[in-house]
């Protein structure tokens, strides 16, 4: 982190604290304009974890049973910031019993007592917006059974935070942080007595952000499907709050919602979960359906790319492939080197996955999850298709941005007599090895088979010269590369047919078989599945085809197919198996 960035961050935080303290004594509102209805959805299992004293935030697990949240040792300032955002309130509300309510009340009113006058890590615009949304959503949950003095302190604090946000939202980073700040300001401004003057400027600012941040494909600069869902939720909440208050919903806001909705539909697998790319997870169960229903948008877009991703579907099978250049600049702080990686889901069961974001397990796992070997694609040994480079301070934390990204990513979809074809290529290894990776995927019309071909080749004399230099560096022993197919942890896999194939059994009873053309070494190796909300990474397996590039063109063919005796349809009831520790 540069000294200049460090100074700028300290100055910004000092100004946040100044404005928080300056506006601490706003007039106490009498209450809400109308009874707020909860819109955010929590996770029951995470609520149980909190009640049991397992605090999992920002990649750190702190076990502190019977400890007030604000007394829990904080291993990192980002851990503390996440706690101050109050997203955990959704999870306690999801449990909803008397014990969960008591804990939520104790933690909320103790926050007001300790930090309500401008102290602590919580006085940042995006965190304040996130907190205001939760306090408004769960106000009845928090205030039930409280006396007048407690209620007054709650209303006074929520008004204080609203005034603070009206002064400081502009300092929030463009993208999700600013959407959170502005939505929180609109939410509170419409809900709390005496705060209505802050609504119109916030609506105008939100409209400008919609035009600036949501492109014609319904995508955002970070290219994270889960972050796109978060933005979509905020916009739909803002639109619903305006509608319920009999306010006009601005055209840019509705247009952004209409652009995003079909993109999210395209990025959803057949099991309802989002594709896990560029720092995003599957999305909390129910959030996507909730957001789409709330938006009222029925639009579907089947042609072309969706935020740079290609989608193939047939029968019960869905495939989503990263077919565009990775995010660039500041937007790449969570970006992954996942070009041409794919995920495959059959019915309600993921089969081929990416490892996912390791952010919830700490910086080491986060960095590992960004590398090409953590994705189901081809990688040259020791290299990723994009490299981690320049460090910037993003959201108060030092982050590595993507550099040396593929400058040319091509994709073409076509229809076959018996299925669908996707032809792709990228030049991410051209600079280092003179090689272009080309990948072809053929999905049969019934969705029961996928045929793939991966090629490493030179495309010009300059590429050949770079390849020759790379070969010389290996003593003409060849350039090692691997194709990886990461399996979901619930898939049982074993080598079969004398080590020439891999059999995979889903919990539903569905059986898939992986084969290849013999031009590579086939192994079944350990892998991990990095899943938000779990206490630790889950062990899994990966199919690996290893080979060496010895000439200007190398090729591996492979296939994934359901076993012949696998029924066309299976009765399958999916269970939520998130860990709960009592």
């Amino acid at each position: 982190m540069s000294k200049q960035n460090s100074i700028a961050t300290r100055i910004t935080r000092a100004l946040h604290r100044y404005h928080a303290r300056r506006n601490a004594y706003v007039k106490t509102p009498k209450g809400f304009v109308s009874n707020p209805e909860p819109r955010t959805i929590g996770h029951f299992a995470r609520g149980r974890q909190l009640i049991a004293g397992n605090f999992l935030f920002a990649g750190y697990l702190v076990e502190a049973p019977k400890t007030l949240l604000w007394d829990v040792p904080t291993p990192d300032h980002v851990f503390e910031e996440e706690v101050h955002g109050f997203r955990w309130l959704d999870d306690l509300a999801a449990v909803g019993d008397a014990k969960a309510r008591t804990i939520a009340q104790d933690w909320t009113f103790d926050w007001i007592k300790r930090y309500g006058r401008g102290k602590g890590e919580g006085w940042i615009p995006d965190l304040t917006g996130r907190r205001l949304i939760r306090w408004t959503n769960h106000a009845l949950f928090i205030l039930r059974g409280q006396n007048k003095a407690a209620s007054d302190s709650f209303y006074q604090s929520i008004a204080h935070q609203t005034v603070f946000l009206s002064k400081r939202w502009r300092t929030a980073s463009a993208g999700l942080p600013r959407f959170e700040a502005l939505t929180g300001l609109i939410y509170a401004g419409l809900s709390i007595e005496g705060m209505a003057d802050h609504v119109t400027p916030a609506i105008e600012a939100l409209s400008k952000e919609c035009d600036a941040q949501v492109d014609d494909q319904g995508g955002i600069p970070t290219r994270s499907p889960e972050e796109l869902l978060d933005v979509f939720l905020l916009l739909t909440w803002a639109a619903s709050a305006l509608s319920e208050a009999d306010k006009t919903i601005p055209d840019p806001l509705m247009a952004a919602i209409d652009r995003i909705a079909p993109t999210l539909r395209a990025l959803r697998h057949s099991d309802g979960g989002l594709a896990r790319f560029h720092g995003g997870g599957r999305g909390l169960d129910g959030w996507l359906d909730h957001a789409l229903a709330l938006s009222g948008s029925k639009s579907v877009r089947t042609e072309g790319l969706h935020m740079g991703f290609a989608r193939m579907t047939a029968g019960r099978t869905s495939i989503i492939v990263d077919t565009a250049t990775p995010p660039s600049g500041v937007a790449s702080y969570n970006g992954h080197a996942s070009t041409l990686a794919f995920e495959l889901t059959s019915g309600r069961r993921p089969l081929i996955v990416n490892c996912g974001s390791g952010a919830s397990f700490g910086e080491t796992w986060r960095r590992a999850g960004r590398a090409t070997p953590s994705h189901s694609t081809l990688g040259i040994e020791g290299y990723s298709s994009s490299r981690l480079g320049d460090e910037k301070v993003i959201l108060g934390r030092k982050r590595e941005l993507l550099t040396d990204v593929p400058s040319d990513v091509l994709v073409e979809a076509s229809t076959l007599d018996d299925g669908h074809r996707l032809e792709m290529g990228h030049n991410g290894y051209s600079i280092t090895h003179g090689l272009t990776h080309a990948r072809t995927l053929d999905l049969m019309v019934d969705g029961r088979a996928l045929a793939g071909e991966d090629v490493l080749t030179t495309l010009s004399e300059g590429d050949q010269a770079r390849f020759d230099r790379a070969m010389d560096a290996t003593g003409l022993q060849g350039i090692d590369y691997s194709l990886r197919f990461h399996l979901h942890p619930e898939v049982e896999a074993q080598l079969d047919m004398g080590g020439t194939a891999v059999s995979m059994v889903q919990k539903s009873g569905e059986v898939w078989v992986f084969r290849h053309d013999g031009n590579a070494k086939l192994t079944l190796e350990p892998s991990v599945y990095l899943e938000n909300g779990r206490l630790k990474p889950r062990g899994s397996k990966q199919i690996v085809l290893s080979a060496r590039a010895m000439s200007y063109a190398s090729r591996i063919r492979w296939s994934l197919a359901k076993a012949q005796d696998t029924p066309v349809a299976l009765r399958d009831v999916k269970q939520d198996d998130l860990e709960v520790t009592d």
Side-chain angles (χ1 to χ4, degrees), residues 269-288:
H269 279 294
S270 56
D271 67 340
L274 287 170
R276 300 173 354 123
F277 286 94
H278 298 298
R282 302 174 31 86
L284 192 62
D285 288 346
W287 277 57
L288 179 52

Side-chain angles (χ1 to χ4, degrees), residues 78-95:
V78 182
F79 179 104
E80 191 169 359
E81 287 180 2
E82 192 169 322
V83 168
H84 281 266
F86 272 72
R87 192 172 281 159
W88 47 263
L89 196 53
D90 295 335
D91 302 323
L92 290 176
V95 177

Side-chain angles (χ1 to χ4, degrees), residues 139-188:
L140 299 181
F141 184 65
I142 295 170
L143 294 175
R144 183 175 178 181
Q146 299 299 308
N147 58 32
K148 186 177 184 303
S151 296
D152 286 347
S153 70
F154 178 83
Y155 290 129
Q156 200 279 335
S157 181
I158 208 170
H160 173 202
Q161 294 175 63
T162 303
V163 173
F164 165 80
L165 201 50
S166 72
K167 306 291 185 183
R168 300 300 292 166
W169 68 262
R170 294 171 183 81
T171 64
S173 300
L176 181 59
R178 192 169 293 175
F179 281 119
E180 280 192 305
L182 289 169
T183 302
L185 183 54
I186 292 170
Y187 232 63

Side-chain angles (χ1 to χ4, degrees), residues 292-574:
L292 290 171
L294 189 63
S295 74
S297 175
K298 306 294 185 182
S299 56
V300 177
R301 186 173 59 248
T302 57
E303 300 296 326
L305 300 182
H306 314 274
M307 199 167 69
F309 296 94
R311 176 182 177 86
M312 305 174 77
T313 57
R316 293 162 46 85
T317 302
S318 66
I319 297 172
I320 298 175
V321 195
D322 187 352
T323 53
T325 55
S328 60
V330 173
S332 72
Y333 75 96
N334 262 339
H336 285 203
S338 57
T339 311
L340 303 196
F342 76 95
E343 292 190 318
L344 184 152
T345 296
S346 177
R348 303 185 71 180
R349 300 286 172 178
L351 180 69
I352 305 297
V353 298
N354 297 311
C355 291
S357 170
S360 63
F361 305 109
E363 190 59 30
T364 300
W365 278 113
R366 177 181 179 275
R367 201 173 193 276
R370 301 178 72 184
T372 297
S374 294
H375 299 83
S376 294
T377 187
L378 178 148
I380 290 179
E381 191 68 29
Y383 290 83
S384 285
S385 56
S386 300
R387 267 69 72 185
L388 299 180
D390 298 337
E391 291 184 343
K392 296 280 187 180
V393 176
I394 310 293
L395 305 180
R397 197 172 195 181
K398 184 170 64 174
R399 297 295 196 198
E400 290 178 293
L401 306 183
L402 292 181
T403 59
D404 297 331
V405 302
S407 61
D408 196 9
V409 181
L410 302 176
V411 57
E412 182 176 343
S414 57
T415 301
L416 307 175
D417 291 339
D418 57 352
H420 312 280
R421 169 168 289 177
L422 203 59
E423 296 174 280
M424 306 155 281
H426 79 82
N427 64 346
Y429 300 112
S430 177
I431 294 176
T432 56
H433 298 82
L435 292 170
T436 290
H437 173 208
R439 165 167 270 185
T440 300
L441 299 178
D442 291 342
L443 180 64
M444 298 301 100
V445 70
D446 58 5
R448 294 175 63 91
L450 174 71
E453 179 183 81
D454 285 273
V455 175
L456 278 176
T457 186
T458 58
L459 297 179
S460 67
E461 292 184 358
D463 284 346
Q464 292 177 1
R466 282 189 288 271
F467 177 82
D468 290 341
R469 289 194 294 270
M471 282 289 288
D472 290 341
T474 70
L476 302 181
Q477 296 301 304
I479 297 170
D480 293 328
Y481 68 96
S482 299
L483 269 67
R484 299 179 185 274
F485 304 84
H486 295 275
L487 305 179
H488 190 272
E490 293 181 354
V491 176
E492 295 182 7
Q494 62 181 16
L495 289 172
D496 206 350
M497 299 176 64
T500 61
V502 176
S503 296
M504 293 156 283
V505 182
Q506 300 273 45
K507 277 193 171 183
S508 63
E510 196 171 72
V511 179
W512 288 76
V513 179
F514 178 91
R515 297 182 176 88
H516 68 109
D517 61 5
N519 290 328
K521 178 184 178 183
L522 172 65
T523 55
L524 191 60
E525 301 179 5
S527 181
V528 292
Y529 188 73
L530 305 171
E531 187 175 12
N532 294 335
R534 283 196 163 260
L535 303 182
K536 58 185 178 180
R538 300 174 70 182
S540 60
K541 295 180 180 179
Q542 59 177 314
I543 300 169
V544 181
L545 291 176
S546 304
R548 287 182 178 178
M550 301 294 296
S551 63
Y552 294 147
S554 302
R555 180 176 64 188
I556 296 177
R557 291 187 175 126
W558 51 269
S559 66
L560 272 165
K562 290 184 185 181
Q564 290 185 356
D565 57 353
T566 297
V568 173
L570 290 166
R571 187 170 183 269
D572 186 14
V573 179
K574 191 169 184 179

Side-chain angles (χ1 to χ4, degrees), residues 115-152:
Y115 309 111
R117 298 299 179 189
K119 296 181 180 180
E121 297 289 337
W123 292 95
I124 299 172
D126 54 305
L127 292 182
T128 303
R130 189 183 308 168
R131 187 168 57 245
L132 281 175
I133 292 171
R134 269 70 191 179
W135 282 27
T136 304
N137 277 340
H138 303 299
L140 299 181
F141 184 65
I142 295 170
L143 294 175
R144 183 175 178 181
Q146 299 299 308
N147 58 32
K148 186 177 184 303
S151 296
D152 286 347

Side-chain angles (χ1 to χ4, degrees), residues 219-253:
I220 55 177
T222 61
R223 295 193 60 230
S224 166
E226 188 175 32
E227 186 171 317
L228 182 66
L229 172 58
D230 289 340
V231 169
F232 186 66
L233 280 163
L234 291 166
L235 298 183
T236 56
W237 292 341
S240 294
L242 290 168
S243 177
E244 290 169 6
D246 293 325
K247 300 283 187 181
T248 301
I249 303 173
D251 291 340
L253 174 55

